[in-house]
Amino acid sequence: AQTVTQSQPEMSVQEAETVTLSCTYDTSESDYYLFWYKQPPSRQMILVIRQEAYKQQNATENRFSVNFQKAAKSFSLKISDSQLGDAAMYFCAYYTGTASKLTFGTGTRLQVTL
Amino acid sequence: DAMVIQNPRYQVTQFGKPVTLSCSQTLNHNVMYWYQQKSSQAPKLLFHYYDKDFNNEADTPDNFQSRRPNTSFCFLDIRSPGLGDAAMYLCATSEGLKAYTFGSGTRLTVV
């Protein structure tokens, strides 16, 4: 079974600084997708960034980028120039067509301070 | 805008009284999911529909049922809610991996 582990229950970053959220996963599949989702206090889950496992290039979306290390099964999220609106719960998630479902990690609560 | 809509946003039900949560989508996605999310925990998949094909997770209690009468609507029925079923229930849709989209959720309170 696939598992996703987020070892940082909470993180804090100062506004305009950079923060990295960690995620590791376990799978025997070779073809899969990884995601970071943001869940603000309003509770709607919003996609931040996605990475296809077959792509070596790390995905980027504006201030958000990932460090995908396939051999190490690691998928960290870097948020640059942090903003107050980035404060939320961040979930790492894994998807494979075999299971056709997202498996989530336990989440990291990010606080952004002035 | 195309979206996933969950009603109601908040639902209070009595212990043991059947309750139904609804989800509708305007995205015309072929897959619809129901997740249960308890406080400060990861969403847990209960079941999903691939078109009309129902897929139940092995550890989903029998107390939880689902219906998908058409592409646009999917319902979550809790036959006899217990205090442990109090949670946020998230509906999501996808077309393969395209735009896996979540609704805003329904927060269920059991009294």
Side-chain angles (χ1 to χ4, degrees):
Chain A
Q2 296 88 6
T3 58
V4 180
T5 302
Q6 293 179 249
S7 59
Q8 305 153 314
E10 289 190 10
M11 293 282 285
S12 182
V13 63
Q14 281 192 326
E15 197 176 18
E17 297 296 309
T18 296
V19 65
T20 299
L21 309 183
S22 301
C23 173
T24 58
Y25 59 95
D26 185 26
T27 183
S28 57
E29 303 271 352
S30 59
D31 188 19
Y32 52 88
Y33 299 77
L34 296 164
F35 305 83
W36 279 98
Y37 279 89
K38 170 184 178 182
Q39 191 176 40
S42 66
R43 304 292 282 188
Q44 183 160 17
M45 199 79 76
I46 303 166
L47 177 65
V48 175
I49 198 166
R50 61 178 272 174
Q51 173 81 43
E52 292 89 342
Y54 63 86
K55 289 188 177 179
Q56 292 186 335
Q57 186 173 8
N58 289 324
T60 62
E61 282 289 339
N62 301 314
R63 298 183 294 107
F64 299 88
S65 61
V66 298
N67 184 4
F68 173 48
Q69 302 289 328
K70 190 172 183 179
K73 296 180 181 175
S74 170
F75 182 62
S76 61
L77 174 69
K78 185 171 83 171
I79 306 174
S80 304
D81 186 26
S82 297
Q83 301 175 358
L84 294 176
D86 295 333
M89 184 72 92
Y90 286 81
F91 290 99
C92 178
Y94 166 99
Y95 179 98
T96 178
T98 306
S100 296
K101 65 180 183 181
L102 278 178
T103 300
F104 289 89
T106 50
T108 296
R109 184 172 302 280
L110 178 67
Q111 291 183 325
V112 181
T113 60
L114 294 172
Chain B
D1 288 343
M3 55 200 312
V4 179
I5 302 165
Q6 290 188 246
N7 286 308
R9 189 70 187 270
Y10 300 92
Q11 175 74 57
V12 180
T13 191
Q14 289 183 335
F15 182 95
K17 184 176 181 180
V19 65
T20 295
L21 309 182
S22 72
C23 177
S24 64
Q25 57 143 335
T26 59
L27 299 159
N28 205 34
H29 285 171
N30 60 350
V31 191
M32 295 188 77
Y33 306 81
W34 279 105
Y35 285 85
Q36 179 192 62
Q37 187 180 24
K38 296 189 175 180
S39 182
S40 302
Q41 295 184 21
K44 178 183 178 298
L45 183 65
L46 296 173
F47 25 60
H48 73 277
Y49 274 93
Y50 194 107
D51 293 322
K52 293 185 178 181
D53 293 332
F54 178 70
N55 298 271
N56 199 33
E57 291 300 296
D59 56 355
T60 298
D62 292 340
N63 197 26
F64 292 86
Q65 304 286 323
S66 185
R67 296 170 284 134
R68 190 180 185 186
N70 53 52
T71 301
S72 301
F73 286 88
C74 194
F75 300 97
L76 170 62
D77 301 309
I78 309 176
R79 292 191 295 187
S80 182
L83 297 178
D85 297 327
M88 177 72 80
Y89 289 88
L90 300 173
C91 175
T93 71
S94 74
E95 185 78 23
L97 283 177
K98 297 176 185 177
Y100 203 114
T101 305
F102 284 84
S104 297
T106 294
R107 181 173 293 284
L108 179 68
T109 300
V110 182
V111 298

